[in-house]
Amino acid sequence: STEAYQKMTKEERDEYFKDGLEYFKECYPDYKILDATIHRDEGYIDEDGKWQKGLDHLQICAIPLYYNKEKDQYEISTTKAEKAHLIREMEREGRDTSHVDLREQRQYLHDRFVDHNREKGRDFDYKSQEGKQTRYNVKNYKTNKEQWEEKKKNWKKKEKK
């Protein structure tokens, strides 16, 4: 849950993200990582126009490469890269791989992520709505963006004084 995460020290959070990156590499060996950055500076403007700090998060930029044996070339395809990984995992577990669909792929990888974190003593509630930021409709977004721009102008004026 958000509460459990917020109780972690900065060092524990850094370890959590480092572990998450290693887990990503293990789960998605066909992805080529271009960048991985911990973001601690993001947030959002709430319905009252006040800035709310968002949760730290790890942002991974990666390209899903899939080797197409028939064409003897690499292709960029999230679906094919994930499916290839899932089939390898299912074969490793001795499961039938004759039919694998995208929903099953994503559910399997999500469940594995939850299990991985529980093994590390991180029993977060991944279905919790707590800490989720509100998605604004266009009108609210424009209003909040204008308010935010005005606040930034005021801060700059104060800094100059």
Side-chain angles (χ1 to χ4, degrees):
S1 71
T2 304
E3 185 179 304
Y5 177 80
Q6 289 175 340
K7 289 180 180 178
M8 296 169 80
T9 65
K10 182 182 177 297
E11 291 76 21
E12 289 170 328
R13 290 178 187 181
D14 288 349
E15 189 61 34
Y16 172 73
F17 292 128
K18 189 185 297 182
D19 182 55
L21 180 59
E22 291 307 312
Y23 177 80
F24 181 90
K25 289 176 184 178
E26 177 188 322
C27 266
Y28 299 98
D30 299 324
Y31 280 58
K32 301 304 173 205
I33 297 174
L34 304 175
D35 184 48
T37 306
I38 298 171
H39 286 253
R40 301 183 197 277
D41 60 344
E42 295 184 19
Y44 62 100
I45 298 173
D46 66 17
E47 292 172 356
D48 297 324
K50 294 180 182 171
W51 177 256
Q52 300 294 325
K53 184 182 182 323
L55 292 176
D56 301 347
H57 61 279
L58 176 65
Q59 186 171 329
I60 300 172
C61 180
I63 297 175
L65 289 181
Y66 167 77
Y67 185 72
N68 185 326
K69 293 176 187 173
E70 293 171 10
K71 294 181 181 179
D72 192 29
Q73 68 183 22
Y74 283 96
E75 298 174 0
I76 296 174
S77 172
T78 302
T79 304
K80 290 178 182 176
E82 286 182 1
K83 187 172 185 174
H85 172 68
L86 180 59
I87 287 172
R88 284 193 303 268
E89 288 297 310
M90 290 173 73
E91 286 172 346
R92 186 178 61 80
E93 295 172 0
R95 294 171 53 200
D96 177 27
T97 60
S98 59
H99 175 73
V100 178
D101 68 16
L102 188 59
R103 276 178 287 178
E104 184 180 359
Q105 289 173 234
R106 300 249 161 90
Q107 187 62 51
Y108 173 83
L109 293 170
H110 171 77
D111 292 347
R112 195 164 162 223
F113 175 72
V114 171
D115 291 344
H116 171 79
N117 275 309
R118 286 192 175 134
E119 288 170 9
K120 298 277 187 176
R122 302 180 195 120
D123 196 12
F124 297 152
D125 177 8
Y126 291 95
K127 294 186 187 262
S128 170
Q129 295 300 310
E130 190 181 338
K132 288 195 175 177
Q133 298 173 6
T134 305
R135 300 233 181 246
Y136 294 113
N137 64 32
V138 174
K139 182 181 175 186
N140 286 345
Y141 171 78
K142 287 180 179 177
T143 301
N144 284 324
K145 184 178 179 191
E146 289 167 4
Q147 290 174 351
W148 178 242
E149 292 300 324
E150 189 62 35
K151 286 181 181 192
K152 286 196 313 190
K153 284 180 193 174
N154 290 334
W155 288 339
K156 287 180 182 179
K157 286 179 187 175
K158 288 179 183 177
E159 287 176 0
K160 288 181 181 178
K161 291 182 181 180

